[in-house]
Amino acid sequence: MLDILKNRRSQYALGAELPLPQDEVDHLIREAIRLAPSSFNSQSSRAVILFNGESRRFWDLVKDALRAIVPAEDFPRTERRLAGFAAGAGTVLFFEDQAVVADLQRKFPLYAENFPIWSEHSTAMAQLATWTALSDAGIGASLQHYNPLVDDEAARAWELPATWRLCAQMPFGSNEGEIGQKSYIDDQQRFHTFG
Ligand SMILES: Cc1cc2nc3c(=O)[nH]c(=O)nc-3n(C[C@H](O)[C@H](O)[C@H](O)COP(=O)(O)O)c2cc1C
């Protein structure tokens, strides 16, 4: 298990080939999200899984939105970065359904302030589960945050419910580059064990 966690890294050099058939990758992503824990087992996480042209369509939406706000001289760099994501096989869009959060707040007023926070935790759990499952299947991925910039365009493009709030985007594909070593801060700064 620790090796599986250790091997999950941010892969930015993506290609369009997948080591598994597309429907198996789709199943893997769905299962990772379905099996991830959520507060009160509320299962507030939602996902849109985009392959091929649909994934490129998403990154085009991001490009159009960024073109409007990034200074022209910086835009080529932005464009190259987005082209790297679009070069992959697909993208997972992670959402949290705010209707589920509001329902929990109504049902359990004592915890009303916590449910939005726990929903954020739940999406993070779903994201890590997905990222790790993809990595374990030999598929590279990274985690991106172009929300809320593209929320409306994405909702329109894929006709998504208004209550789904976009939380993160995970472009994935074949591993096309070596990933550098990761450094870790001292355990002493992070951990205390008692007893
Ligand atoms: C909550 C969170 C937000 C992140 N947001 C981004 C992001 O917007 N863009 C990006 O390229 N990487 C993002 N990352 C990836 C981190 O930069 C990366 O996980 C970290 O540097 C460790 O590298 P590793 O993923 O290779 O272990 C995010 C990671 C986390 C956990």
Side-chain angles (χ1 to χ4, degrees):
M1 175 62 188
L2 289 181
D3 276 343
I4 295 173
L5 285 172
K6 196 172 177 178
N7 291 336
R8 180 227 47 83
R9 297 293 310 280
S10 292
Q11 173 61 274
Y12 296 97
L14 298 175
E17 297 302 316
L18 286 171
L20 303 173
Q22 183 177 309
D23 59 343
E24 285 182 34
V25 176
D26 187 66
H27 178 71
L28 187 77
I29 294 165
R30 287 173 179 234
E31 284 299 272
I33 295 170
R34 207 171 60 82
L35 295 169
S38 59
S39 67
F40 286 55
N41 195 27
S42 56
Q43 299 168 63
S44 50
S45 297
R46 305 285 180 265
V48 172
I49 304 162
L50 303 170
F51 285 98
N52 307 312
E54 292 297 306
S55 175
R56 290 192 291 276
R57 184 180 175 199
F58 174 76
W59 293 109
D60 278 344
L61 292 181
V62 175
K63 189 160 63 175
D64 289 345
L66 284 174
R67 201 193 311 273
I69 59 167
V70 171
E73 64 271 25
D74 296 336
F75 194 66
R77 205 162 62 95
T78 300
E79 216 171 3
R80 277 197 298 279
R81 187 171 168 85
L82 298 177
F85 305 140
T91 303
V92 186
L93 308 182
F94 289 91
F95 299 82
E96 285 290 299
D97 191 342
Q98 300 308 301
V100 175
V101 175
D103 195 44
L104 285 165
Q105 289 177 312
R106 262 192 307 275
K107 280 193 187 129
F108 306 100
L110 193 61
Y111 301 113
E113 284 181 13
N114 294 93
F115 285 118
I117 299 166
W118 289 336
S119 164
E120 291 295 319
H121 296 183
S122 296
T123 184
M125 300 236 175
Q127 291 164 29
L128 180 63
T130 304
W131 200 348
T132 309
L134 288 170
S135 158
D136 190 44
I139 298 169
S142 74
L143 188 63
Q144 303 303 320
H145 295 92
Y146 290 98
N147 48 291
L149 193 61
V150 292
D151 293 21
D152 294 345
E153 286 80 0
R156 250 196 309 276
W158 290 284
E159 297 178 11
L160 305 175
T163 56
W164 289 23
R165 193 177 65 73
L166 184 59
C167 301
Q169 305 84 48
M170 187 170 289
F172 61 86
S174 46
N175 284 298
E176 298 296 339
E178 290 298 314
I179 302 172
Q181 290 285 319
K182 184 163 76 164
S183 62
Y184 295 90
I185 61 171
D186 268 358
D187 280 4
Q188 276 173 344
Q189 287 179 47
R190 307 188 80 168
F191 308 117
H192 293 293
T193 303
F194 299 102

